[in-house]
Amino acid sequence: MLKKLFAFCLLLLALPAQAALEVFACEPEWAALAREIGGDQVHAYEATTALQDPHRIQARPSLIARARAADLVVCTGADLEVGWLPLVLRQAANPKVQPGRRGYFEAATAVRLLEVPLRVDRAEGDVHPAGNPHIQLDPRNLLRVAEALAARMGELDPANEARYRARLEDFRGRFQAAIARWEKQAAPLRNMPVVVHHKVFEYLFHWLGLKEVAVLEPKPGIEPSAAHLAAVLEALRREPARMVLRASYQDERASVWLAERAGIPAVALPATVGGTPQARDLYTLFDDILNRLLAAQAAR
C-alpha cells in the first residue's frame, strides 16, 4: 500500500502544475509576454509561428479547438488577424473570448498606432484602417501592453491578481534596463537610410531613428514586380541606402536581387520571438535585431 501511495505521489509531482489561465496568443510575442506576467499560472498557446506571415493564416481545426478551450485570447488587433481570427472565434463558439468580452484582448488598443491612413481604399493594397499593426518592434510598446494585459489577467483570475502585478513590476524593471542598454547600443544606427521589403519595421525605426527611403512592395501586401524593383534601384542611385531589410518569414529573392545590384547587404531580421534561432524570448529578440543591424552596418 505504501509503495502504491509513494508511486502516486511521484506521478503527481511529475505532472505539470494546472494553469489558472489558458491563453490563446495570436502571435509569439504575446505568448511570451503572457508568460512573463503569468509565470506558472498561465499556459500560453501560440497560434502562429515567427516564420508565418500573421496576415495570412488558415483557420485550422486545431486553432478552433484551442480557442474553444481558452480563457483569454491575446492578439495584436488593428486588423492584423482580420483574415482568419474572426472565423476561428466564430467556429470555436466560446462566449468567454468573443470580441467585446473580457476574455478578448487586443494589444494595439494599449499603444499609439503609426501610419493611420487618411482614407481607406483597398485598391491601395493591404491597408489597415486603424494604422500599422506591427507594434511589437518598439519595446516601449511592450511595456504599455504588459500593463494592460496584467490588469486584464487579474480581472479574469482575481485569486492571482497580486501575483500578476508583482511579476509585471519585476518585468518592467528588467525590461526598462534592457531598453536603456539597447538604445545606447543602437546610437550608431540613428538616421541610417534603409530599404524594407514590407512595412513591418516602422515601430523599430520610430524608436531608434532609422530612415526608410524605399519599400520593395509597390503597395502593402503586393509582391514587387521586376519593373518596380528596377525603379527602386534607380531611386537608390539618387538616395542611397545602407541595407535592405526583410522579416525572416518573407521571401528573400527580391531583397537579395536589389542588394546585389545596389552593393549593400540584405539583412533578415526576426519580427517576433522565434524569428531566428537567437531570438528566443523578448530580450534576445531585440538583442538579435541590434546585433544584425550593427553587423551589417560595420560590414560596409
Side-chain angles (χ1 to χ4, degrees), residues 22 24 26 63-75 84-106 152 156:
E22 287 288 337
F24 177 103
C26 285
L63 296 184
I64 294 168
R66 290 287 187 168
R68 186 173 294 141
D71 301 302
L72 175 62
V73 165
V74 182
C75 297
W84 57 276
L85 184 62
L87 178 58
V88 167
L89 295 180
R90 188 164 57 249
Q91 293 293 323
N94 178 351
K96 293 186 296 184
V97 298
Q98 299 301 316
R101 306 300 295 267
R102 304 309 290 168
Y104 179 82
F105 179 90
E106 288 190 351
R152 184 65 61 87
L156 296 174

Side-chain angles (χ1 to χ4, degrees), residues 47-295:
T48 62
T49 76
L51 299 181
Q52 291 178 295
D53 183 342
H55 300 85
R56 297 177 175 81
I57 302 296
Q58 286 190 338
R60 304 187 308 275
S62 59
L63 296 184
I64 294 168
R66 290 287 187 168
R68 186 173 294 141
D71 301 302
L72 175 62
V73 165
V74 182
C75 297
T76 298
D79 279 352
L80 178 64
E81 303 96 354
V82 70
W84 57 276
L85 184 62
L87 178 58
V88 167
L89 295 180
R90 188 164 57 249
Q91 293 293 323
N94 178 351
K96 293 186 296 184
V97 298
Q98 299 301 316
R101 306 300 295 267
R102 304 309 290 168
Y104 179 82
F105 179 90
E106 288 190 351
T109 61
V111 306
R112 184 177 69 85
L113 297 183
L114 303 177
E115 298 186 324
V116 179
L118 296 177
R119 67 184 182 89
V120 177
D121 184 346
R122 289 300 178 188
E124 296 302 315
D126 189 11
V127 177
H128 297 280
N132 189 314
H134 302 293
I135 61 174
Q136 77 279 7
L137 291 179
D138 182 339
R140 300 169 301 181
N141 282 346
L142 295 181
L143 285 176
R144 298 179 183 108
V145 175
E147 178 84 28
L149 182 58
R152 184 65 61 87
M153 290 165 67
E155 281 185 49
L156 296 174
D157 178 23
N160 287 305
E161 181 179 9
R163 184 174 300 188
Y164 299 142
R165 177 59 57 181
R167 289 188 64 91
L168 169 66
E169 294 307 319
D170 177 64
F171 171 70
R172 193 202 317 270
R174 290 183 290 117
F175 213 57
Q176 284 176 333
I179 289 172
R181 172 171 57 82
W182 291 324
E183 290 178 346
K184 185 176 181 180
Q185 184 183 2
L189 301 173
R190 184 161 292 278
N191 296 319
M192 183 175 71
V194 297
V195 179
V196 297
H197 184 123
H198 176 69
K199 293 175 80 66
V200 68
F201 302 116
E202 300 308 303
Y203 292 87
L204 179 74
F205 299 165
H206 179 72
W207 171 44
L208 298 179
L210 278 72
K211 181 182 177 185
E212 179 186 288
V213 297
V215 181
L216 296 189
E217 291 179 341
K219 296 178 181 178
I222 306 297
E223 289 300 316
S225 64
H228 180 73
L229 288 176
V232 173
L233 180 60
E234 181 62 27
L236 291 184
R237 294 194 173 100
R238 298 187 297 274
E239 187 173 12
R242 297 291 298 274
M243 59 189 73
V244 185
L245 303 177
R246 71 178 187 280
S248 55
Y249 64 78
Q250 292 172 317
D251 191 309
E252 68 173 8
R253 287 175 292 184
S255 59
V256 169
W257 184 94
L258 184 70
E260 289 177 347
R261 284 155 182 78
I264 56 178
V267 182
L269 297 179
T272 184
V273 174
T276 60
Q278 294 79 18
R280 300 180 301 277
D281 54 34
L282 293 174
Y283 296 89
T284 52
L285 168 63
F286 291 100
D287 285 339
D288 192 42
I289 287 173
L290 292 185
N291 287 340
R292 288 169 184 266
L293 289 173
L294 290 167

